[in-house]
Amino acid sequence: MFFKTAKINEFRTWGLLLTMIGMGLMVAGTAGIVFWGVQSGKIIAGIFLVLGMIALMLSMGVYFWAGMLSTSAIMLICPECGRQTKMLGQTDRCMFCRTILTQDPNKATAFPEEEEDGTVNDASTETTESNPK
C-alpha cells in the first residue's frame, strides 16, 4: 500500500485527488480566457474543461468502485483500538489506528492461546492491559 492506510481509505484518497485535479483544470481553463484573450482563450478553456470533466468522471468511477468494495468488505473489531473497521483481502490496516490486520494465520504475529477447557485466550489483550500506553 502506498500511503500505509486502509485500502478503502486509499481508494477514497485517489478519488478525492482526481476530483481536485479535475476542478483545478477547469478553473485553470476558464482563467485562460482572461490571460490569452477571448479567441485563443476559448480554445484553451474548452480543452481544459474537457480534461477536467474526464478527471471528474474518473473520480466518480473510483468512488463508485470504493463503494462497491466497501459493501463486500469484512467488518471486524480492531484488536489495538477497539473500533469497528473494514478489511479487504487477506491483510489490511485499521482505518483509525493503522494497525496491520490479517486473516491469514501464517502472516499473524500473535496467535491466540487455547486453554485447557477449550476456550481461546487472546494473548494480545493481555499484553496491552499490562503495558499501558
Side-chain angles (χ1 to χ4, degrees):
M1 289 184 286
F2 189 71
F3 291 116
K4 304 251 189 276
T5 61
K7 292 175 188 173
I8 294 175
N9 285 349
E10 191 169 335
F11 292 140
R12 291 176 183 156
T13 301
W14 284 109
L16 181 63
L17 183 68
L18 281 171
T19 301
M20 293 300 133
I21 288 172
M23 292 176 72
L25 284 171
M26 289 182 171
V27 169
T30 53
I33 296 173
V34 174
F35 293 126
W36 288 290
V38 176
Q39 287 299 34
S40 61
K42 283 183 182 178
I43 295 170
I44 293 171
I47 292 169
F48 277 86
L49 287 173
V50 169
L51 290 175
M53 185 180 67
I54 291 170
L56 285 173
M57 293 298 218
L58 287 173
S59 143
M60 186 178 67
V62 168
Y63 273 120
F64 180 77
W65 184 35
M68 289 295 104
L69 286 174
S70 180
T71 59
S72 64
I74 298 168
M75 303 278 289
L76 54 95
I77 304 295
C78 175
E80 190 71 26
C81 66
R83 296 172 78 177
Q84 188 174 11
T85 186
K86 294 180 180 181
M87 188 169 108
L88 291 176
Q90 290 295 317
T91 59
D92 201 355
R93 290 184 180 260
C94 175
M95 291 183 184
F96 306 102
C97 67
R98 299 183 180 159
T99 301
I100 297 174
L101 305 170
T102 184
Q103 286 187 323
D104 189 5
N106 297 328
K107 295 180 182 177
T109 55
F111 297 101
E113 297 174 1
E114 194 171 311
E115 293 186 9
E116 294 175 9
D117 60 353
T119 60
V120 174
N121 182 16
D122 190 8
S124 63
T125 57
E126 293 175 352
T127 57
T128 56
E129 291 172 2
S130 64
N131 188 10
K133 292 183 180 179

